[in-house]
Amino acid sequence: MTTRIGVVGAGMMGSEIALIFALAGNDVLLTDQNVEAARAAIGRLEGVLDRGIGRGLFSETDKGRALGHLRAAESLEAFADRELVVEAVFEDQEIKQAVFRRLDGILGAEAIIASNTSTIPISTLASAVSTGRQTRFLGTHFFSPVHRMKLVEVIPGFDTTDEVITRVMDLCRDAGKEPIRVKDVPGFAVNRVLHAFLIEAVKLVEEGVATPEDIDKACRLGLGHPMGPFELMDVVTNSLSLQAQEIMHDAYGERFRPASLLKQKVAAGHVGRKAGRGWKMYAQKS
């Protein structure tokens, strides 16, 4: 059954969340601060689909279905008929809650709001909407790249109903994902495990135990990870890793204190692949 879905935020995460729901045959609207950004994101998704076709991940039929079900929206007001809206804007509580307050006044009473936050407690975010809407508010933490990573953490808030949780988990399964239900705590499940791992990896470098390159190699060849911790931080950016660790340090104390070297990297602008320098240097595209 086709569901009317909206996605707020046309960056890498938001656009690919829109893509996987469109691939499943849902009617999807994508918006950002302006419609041109949303249209540009859909253009980038054509490239994602074309590369996926070359790798055998998608077919030409998949591409046609996805692009036929995905449109750019002029503004949030176009979301008035959406049954589910997924927020995927910058990982900042105030920015996210400003979006939720606007959506609360636009959406129908039965519409569900989901946040793609990776660390911020859902009940905290839900406080931005009306009491009635809080029963239809939850977290859906997708993983990058969304079109390839199967997992979705589904996080109910304090007031989220079981009906809403079941509905969203079913929509995720229909889109080819494997949802797990996670308690509403800072960092949820995956990021608590991940950042404990990342913090220890940076400490190994600080202590001179091994280089970032060798630690990455050890994790790939010794633990079977698809990429090492420093490669991963350069992809997601060191600044976002630091932000997540600071949130969890506030919540859990010393065990999540960010390593000094990570703070120094971020302060120096060595934030990762997009900046051309992180734990290693990258050639800049012209």
Side-chain angles (χ1 to χ4, degrees):
M1 185 176 73
T2 299
T3 300
R4 297 184 302 278
I5 296 174
V7 179
V8 184
M12 180 176 67
M13 290 298 296
S15 61
E16 290 208 8
I17 291 168
L19 173 63
I20 60 105
F21 282 124
L23 279 165
N26 297 292
D27 173 22
V28 183
L29 290 179
L30 176 65
T31 194
D32 205 292
Q33 290 182 324
N34 56 69
V35 70
E36 289 77 16
R39 288 172 180 152
I42 293 174
R44 291 194 302 273
L45 290 177
E46 290 192 54
V48 170
L49 289 163
D50 287 337
R51 290 190 294 275
I53 290 169
R55 296 169 183 161
L57 299 173
F58 305 121
S59 66
E60 289 288 350
T61 300
D62 291 331
K63 178 181 177 181
R65 179 172 58 251
L67 296 178
H69 286 88
L70 177 59
R71 294 170 289 140
E74 294 280 347
S75 67
L76 286 181
E77 280 66 31
F79 283 25
D81 69 340
R82 299 294 94 178
E83 299 167 83
L84 167 67
V85 175
V86 180
E87 166 275 315
V89 303
F90 188 69
E91 187 73 352
D92 179 277
Q93 180 177 323
E94 291 186 7
I95 294 173
K96 288 178 180 292
Q97 289 188 310
V99 171
F100 300 142
R101 281 189 285 270
R102 285 190 61 194
L103 286 170
D104 196 26
I106 293 169
L107 299 176
E110 296 301 308
I112 299 168
I113 298 177
S115 175
N116 187 53
T117 181
S118 59
T119 53
I120 305 171
I122 298 304
S123 294
T124 300
L125 294 175
S127 66
V129 302
S130 57
T131 301
R133 181 81 65 190
Q134 289 174 19
T135 64
R136 307 186 70 75
F137 191 107
L138 77 172
T140 49
H141 180 208
F142 291 82
F143 293 81
S144 183
V146 178
H147 72 280
R148 297 186 70 172
M149 299 292 279
K150 288 288 189 181
L151 183 68
V152 182
E153 290 181 308
V154 176
I155 310 103
F158 190 79
D159 295 303
T160 314
T161 66
D162 287 340
E163 175 192 5
V164 166
I165 297 163
T166 299
R167 173 69 173 137
V168 171
M169 292 183 82
D170 285 345
L171 283 169
C172 289
R173 290 189 189 98
D174 290 344
K177 301 306 173 188
E178 292 287 345
I180 62 170
R181 180 169 174 168
V182 180
K183 186 177 178 180
D184 184 21
V185 296
F188 313 129
V190 171
N191 270 331
R192 281 180 63 175
V193 174
L194 172 63
H195 285 285
F197 173 68
L198 296 181
I199 289 167
E200 193 62 27
V202 178
K203 287 180 178 178
L204 287 171
V205 175
E206 285 184 330
E207 294 166 9
V209 174
T211 64
E213 294 77 12
D214 281 347
I215 294 169
D216 281 346
K217 184 184 294 185
C219 292
R220 290 196 308 271
L221 303 182
L223 298 177
H225 292 187
M227 67 172 61
F230 298 96
E231 294 173 301
L232 178 61
M233 283 187 281
D234 275 355
V235 170
V236 302
T237 74
N238 288 312
S239 53
L240 283 179
S241 294
L242 177 59
Q243 181 185 42
Q245 290 169 23
E246 288 174 334
I247 289 171
M248 286 187 285
H249 179 231
D250 287 343
Y252 303 117
E254 285 303 300
R255 61 190 166 124
F256 282 103
R257 178 181 291 279
S260 297
L261 182 56
L262 178 61
K263 293 181 178 181
Q264 291 166 1
K265 282 278 187 181
V266 172
H270 293 215
V271 295
R273 184 178 294 174
K274 288 182 179 180
R277 56 184 185 170
W279 296 100
K280 71 176 186 178
M281 303 298 288
Y282 300 89
Q284 291 291 288
K285 295 180 181 179
S286 57

